[in-house]
Amino acid sequence: MKLDAKIPSGPVQDKWDKARFELKLVNPANKRHHKVIIVGSGLAGASAAATLAELGYDVECFCFQDSPRRAHSIAAQGGINAAKNYQNDGDSVYRLFYDTVKGGDYRSREANVYRLAQVSVNIIDQCVAQGVPFAREYGGVLANRSFGGAQVSRTFYARGQTGQQLLLGAYSALNRQIAHGKVKMHPRTEMLDLVVVDGHARGIITRDLITGEIRPWAADAVLLATGGYGNVFYLSTNAKNCNVTATYRAYKRGAGFANPCFTQIHPTCIPVSGDYQSKLTLMSESLRNDGRVWVPRNKADLNKAPKDIPPEDRYYYLEERYPSFGNLVPRDVASRAAKKVCDDGFGVSKTGEAVYLDFATAIERDGKPAIEDRYGNLFEMYERISGENPYKTPMRIYPAVHYTMGGLWVDYNLMSNVPGLHVLGEANFSDHGANRLGASALMQGLADGYFVIPYTLGNYIATEYTGEVSTKHPAFARAEAEVRERQRKLLEIGSKSGSSRKSVDYFHRKLGKIMWEYCGMARNAAGLQKALTQIPELREQFWKQAYVPGGADELNPWLEKAGRVADFLEFSELMCHDALYRDESCGGHFREEHQTEEGEAVRRDDEFAHGAIWEYAGVGTPPTLHKEPLEFENVKLTTRSYK
Amino acid sequence: MSSATPTSAPPFDRLVKALTSTISLKIVMALTGLAGVGFILFHMAGNLQVFLGRDAYNDYAEFMQGLGALKWVARGGLLTVLGLHVGAAVVLIQRNQRARPERYAGLEQKRTSLAAMYMAELGMVLLAFIVYHIAHFTMGVVSIEFGGVDYYALQQVTEESTRRDLYAHFIVSFQQPGIAITYIVANIALAAHLAHGVTSTFKTAGIAVGRWKLPFEVAGPAIGVIVGLGNISMPLAIWAGFIGGH
Amino acid sequence: MDIKLKIWRQSGPKQAGFYEDHRVVADPHMSFLEMLDVLNEQLLEAGKDAVAFDHDCREGICGACSMVINGNPHGPRAGTTACQLHMREYHDGDEIVIEPWRAAAFPIIKDLVVDRSAFDRIQHAGGYVSVGTGSAPDANTIPIGKRESDEAFDYAACIGCGACVAACPNASAMLFVSSKVAHLSLLPQGKVERKVRVRKMVAAMDAEGFGGCTNHGECSAACPKSISVDAIALLNREYMFAGLARD
């Protein structure tokens, strides 16, 4: 596996300019002859599809949802960062860059992050022009708020529905191109394999989720914008249908998977209430701007109503442990702190896994109307789900899997090691290192789609394009046959399993428990080893007992789910290998062997200041490791301290 | 299936499309409805003169009958308005029915009113009533003979002239319980039709929005009640012997 | 709690549908969809075909879930999607009837799953501002009053679930179309194309076979984002002023 990050030379400030000049262009008249496949229609996919179509490319866009507007970007609540410095509070491109690299615990690529910070300002302009109704001040200018881990107010937001509004903006741009016939949209169509011809990604195999038709598609380049793999934990804040299949299939076809163990646990989610729980709901991080996190100081108080516990008996653990950032410490720090107090037996729910997020102080200070204005819809949502009124009693929250920083390895041009295969948004690994800062996911998705790929894709086509390939090429038939065979096998298990049959969810839940236990918020070598023995056993059981009803030629949600869970059952092993290999604590990856006496993460820069990129070697065979050394020319590696 | 609208339809097609779009037809309903309300109020005001006695009422009738060509213009106009209102309604109702071919086991209604749910049925009642009403009072082909007397042809002899005594026809007609009940029922239907229709008109016209919404939501039922009570007061008064008593 | 269910089953778009009875033991803290998950798990472990329904984010924003619960699209709670409805709204022994959205423009694909691509096609017709990537001026160049911006947001909050169509006695899509039109026409960026937009979107709406609005207000009552029926009046106004503006 050849990994060349293709980072332009020169000072970090000039790299993107230099790259844009050096990247080869495609003759405008020729663009329409180049077909581009885009899988996924979230922020990254929709923005890329719209922008590439505007440039003239012939775009085919696929999503498994019934409409591109339902991609999971829609659920992002809090906001989007941009180094506009509208608040005159000391922000700059360089500061956003610096904060992001530091926030990522120095495991991201400087050049990519700097470019992200640079284009962040254009994103806001673009979205406003599309009619995204960002929050505004009375004077008519855009409002900002500060967001987890940042000491400047650089987050733009649209109430608690920023992701929705940004996605609808990108969706509207996409619709315009669909109306012009430049994008052909294929909703309810799932990518099941990548087709590689002569080493280049030249197509995909899809299943029409309504008719069940399996079909090959050929193109000149393939873009994956298929999101993250948080659902490997079963319970996560991801949408139920989010999955790893597209990126995992690409991995099996030779694309390197980078840092799969880097998962982000979001500190403020509604805790699990029972075994039937199907997903976890995030409460925006912005709540930590006004909410104070605490647990009782004494175990005797655990059964008391929170209002009956006097202030001196409350342990505001974030404020006490991190006086300068307090409740606003980055996500990984806040999550681990919650886990620690709960592990110590101070959790405030029946399951022992919850802490209080209390708004009493803020309500007293600013009045209920002000709090209602800021968080009204979030409070309502909390009440709907939990049945408790957060104006009167503190919310109960607990960390939950939220985002995955790991993903397919890409170079500076967002191209994987398989030429022609580009990866955008959460699906790639590039910008957030070991921990993503709040309000940066939306920024990255849109940066990749609107402002990076339009330049870099042209370079691939201008320099590496190898001529037209049709679906008649034997590689397509081979991939298609494999997809059909796998589907046949999945449908066959049920007919053989008889009374020992179990639903696919049964296995997914079991896998989730293994992953949460051993590869969740805190990991250690022994636990990961255990996971690595349990996962193959579970996988074997799955292929014997999983029951998939119905047929292949119809809408069959259980067949869809079975395929996705089957991939999770292989992918989870890759995650554990990576987590075991990375013998240090950094960002969202906390290895219990590497912590200070106070329980803070200890990074090992001498050994692990690199991306770990894995090459597929067969199911059940440990993957092959490759490394991309990370060079820090601008940011000094320090111990992240939020004290 | 990428775009449901042809981008360059010929101008005439475009005009037809624009005029027959759901919203255009709604606007037709609203405007013709409004004209109808104007007529109904005028008509009611005219008829209420029955409370002023035989002379006043017959004066009014004579004036209206004497309008000549203008009367026919007005009748033509009213018929056109009615035709458009009914025609647009038929097209819209058909579209609405086609839009939901399969019924629900039960759909709970939360905000709408009975009047709104039965606008079409109320409209049909009113249409039948209009036909009867014209046959009765305008054309004199039904319900004109009582006790062997053709009240429609009856004359009022005054000092200056001799003229038709429509007051007598009016009074005698409503002394018949069957006719009075028919008119009362029809006017209840009219009141309900207006209660939703008038408010709906201003919503369709884009006026009943924001702070103007509430006034217009009150205006519809208010006009319905006024028209209903005003019209029903006449048969009731006659029945009770309040007017036209011998 | 013991719940009786009467669920619409239909194996394909052309097949006849019917109601099927089921029982499920639910926990009051479960979401409505989790209750259906439990039912489906029961069916699967018994080797039967489970009930297909659309769902994804399960946090009330993607707009995928779409079922009429005892005659109410998304169930009895105002401003709440089916996925955010919880079983604590119900009591032991309750019978719940679950149906799909019913509208000619939303053909049933299977069980409770319907095809809502008509909404996408209406958006293709003009639900956008024609601005290419890169050609936007600085975001603060055009000030927009907080009130206008907030109002635009209220309409932009639409999740495209189709409950408005499901609830409307006429299966009209006016609330959906009007919320998009109102959102864009309230903002200076959207005003440029407002006339063409409203005409094209209304034409597309009609072409899809939705019914017309008769101002019942049921759409707004069913809307999980509580979008005001004022949007429809705004749409009508926009449409009248658009007249026969050129494309």
Side-chain angles (χ1 to χ4, degrees), chain A residues 6-23 93-94 97 110-119 412-413 633-634:
Chain A
K6 299 204 182 99
I7 299 167
S9 57
V12 72
Q13 290 87 342
D14 300 335
K15 284 182 197 288
W16 181 228
D17 262 354
K18 187 163 180 286
R20 281 193 293 178
F21 179 69
E22 285 170 359
L23 290 168
V93 167
Y94 200 90
F97 154 70
E110 273 193 348
N112 285 52
V113 177
Y114 195 87
R115 175 179 65 191
L116 177 66
Q118 276 176 306
V119 303
Y412 187 71
N413 297 332
E633 294 164 351
N634 300 278

Side-chain angles (χ1 to χ4, degrees), chain A residues 316-388:
Chain A
Y316 292 96
Y317 56 90
L318 289 177
E319 293 171 22
E320 285 183 29
R321 283 175 59 185
Y322 307 100
S324 74
F325 278 69
N327 293 299
L328 292 175
V329 292
R331 292 176 174 179
D332 54 338
V333 178
S335 294
R336 267 200 304 280
K339 178 178 159 59
K340 188 167 186 319
V341 292
C342 290
D343 285 353
D344 292 346
F346 293 95
V348 293
S349 72
K350 265 182 274 168
T351 59
E353 293 194 331
V355 299
Y356 289 127
L357 179 62
D358 195 342
F359 293 87
T361 313
I363 291 171
E364 207 170 296
R365 183 186 63 220
D366 301 338
K368 193 182 158 199
I371 298 301
E372 201 170 339
D373 191 45
R374 268 171 241 168
Y375 311 112
N377 58 337
L378 296 171
F379 278 33
E380 270 171 44
M381 180 160 99
Y382 180 82
E383 193 181 354
R384 264 200 296 274
I385 293 171
S386 69
E388 291 180 337

Side-chain angles (χ1 to χ4, degrees), chain C residues 7-220:
Chain C
I7 302 181
W8 183 260
R9 302 301 304 263
Q10 185 171 336
S11 55
K14 300 226 165 65
Q15 277 77 11
F18 57 94
Y19 290 95
E20 195 173 81
D21 292 323
H22 292 286
R23 290 184 92 93
V24 70
V25 177
D27 183 293
H29 292 296
M30 272 179 183
S31 74
F32 196 82
L33 300 190
E34 282 165 351
M35 181 274 292
L36 288 180
D37 289 344
V38 170
L39 169 72
N40 276 343
E41 192 119 354
Q42 267 171 335
L43 291 171
L44 289 171
E45 298 203 342
K48 292 185 188 146
D49 195 5
V51 182
F53 60 93
D54 262 328
H55 67 104
D56 202 16
C57 79
R58 297 206 176 188
E59 48 187 278
I61 195 73
C62 77
C65 56
S66 46
M67 50 186 82
V68 173
I69 302 167
N70 283 344
N72 293 296
H74 290 304
R77 248 190 103 124
T80 305
T81 53
C83 66
Q84 293 226 293
L85 179 67
H86 279 68
M87 293 309 290
R88 65 178 78 91
E89 301 283 329
Y90 297 92
H91 305 285
D92 190 47
D94 278 0
E95 183 180 81
I96 304 175
V97 182
I98 309 175
E99 300 177 76
W101 285 176
R102 295 197 189 277
F106 289 165
I108 294 175
I109 296 170
K110 188 178 181 183
D111 296 341
L112 304 172
V113 179
V114 299
D115 177 358
R116 284 170 287 188
S117 55
F119 270 11
D120 286 307
R121 289 189 292 272
I122 294 173
Q123 299 271 61
H124 299 162
Y128 46 76
V129 174
S130 296
V131 54
T133 305
S135 51
D138 182 84
N140 263 345
T141 307
I142 308 172
I144 304 174
K146 184 169 165 37
R147 219 183 39 207
E148 287 82 359
S149 178
D150 283 352
E151 204 184 337
F153 183 97
D154 289 339
Y155 296 122
C158 168
I159 58 173
C161 64
C164 46
V165 174
C168 177
N170 310 326
S172 169
M174 291 273 275
L175 189 66
F176 169 76
V177 176
S178 62
S179 55
K180 193 75 211 170
V181 166
H183 155 216
L184 289 176
S185 62
L186 281 163
L187 295 172
Q189 288 82 4
K191 283 199 160 84
V192 180
E193 296 166 279
R194 64 197 292 182
K195 291 183 177 175
V196 174
R197 175 183 309 119
V198 68
R199 282 193 19 249
K200 286 188 164 182
M201 289 184 75
V202 168
M205 170 184 88
D206 283 350
E208 294 294 344
F210 290 103
C213 171
T214 44
N215 297 313
H216 293 287
E218 292 298 323
C219 49
S220 182

Side-chain angles (χ1 to χ4, degrees), chain B residues 207-217:
Chain B
I207 297 168
V209 177
R211 60 192 158 132
W212 291 104
K213 189 153 81 178
L214 189 65
F216 283 107
E217 277 179 350

